[in-house]
Amino acid sequence: MNKLMKRFLYRSVLLTIVLMLAGWGLYAQLIPQYSLPGWPFILIFFFCTTNLVHFYLLRIAEKDIAKFSTHFMALSTLKMLFYLFVALGFFLASRDQAKLFLINFLVAYMAYTVMEVAEISHVVKLKK
C-alpha cells in the first residue's frame, strides 16, 4: 500500500470515527426520537465505497495522469448513480424512515465527498 493510500485510509478512518461519535452524541443525547439504527451501516457503506474508489483512482494516477480526469469523472458519475440506487432502494423498502435515512445519507455523502475531493486534489498536485 503506497503512502497516499495510507494517508487517505487514515483520514477516512478518522472521519468515520468523528461522524460515528457525532451521530451518537446527537441521537443518544439530544434527539433520541429521531435516532436511525442504520447510521453505523451508512458510515460503513460510505467508508468502503470511498476507499475502494480512491484506491482505483490512485492506481490510474500512477499509470497515466493524462487519463486521470476522464476516469475520475466517469467513476464519479457511476458512484453517484450507485448511491442514488441505494438511497432509492431504501426509500422504497422503508418509507416510514425515508426522510431520516435520506438526511443521514446526504450528511455522510457530503462529508466523504469533501474529504475525497480534497485528497484527490492533493494527489493531482503531486503528480503534476
Side-chain angles (χ1 to χ4, degrees), residues 31-116:
I31 51 172
Q33 67 273 21
Y34 294 113
S35 178
L36 182 68
W39 175 240
F41 299 107
I42 292 171
L43 293 178
I44 291 168
F45 169 75
F46 276 101
F47 175 82
C48 292
T49 56
T50 303
N51 279 290
L52 287 172
V53 168
H54 191 75
F55 178 73
Y56 178 74
L57 288 172
L58 284 178
R59 285 183 40 195
I60 297 298
E62 287 174 1
K63 290 179 185 176
D64 188 4
I65 196 69
K67 293 182 180 180
F68 178 78
S69 20
T70 306
H71 282 87
F72 177 74
M73 293 303 292
L75 200 55
S76 294
T77 302
L78 290 173
K79 185 175 68 167
M80 197 177 304
L81 285 172
F82 177 64
Y83 289 165
L84 180 63
F85 287 133
V86 169
L88 188 60
F90 185 89
F91 178 77
L92 294 174
S94 180
R95 290 185 183 234
D96 56 326
Q97 291 188 335
K99 287 181 185 176
L100 188 56
F101 171 80
L102 290 175
I103 290 169
N104 283 280
F105 196 81
L106 286 173
V107 166
Y109 171 77
M110 292 299 293
Y112 282 94
T113 300
V114 166
M115 181 193 64
E116 183 181 19

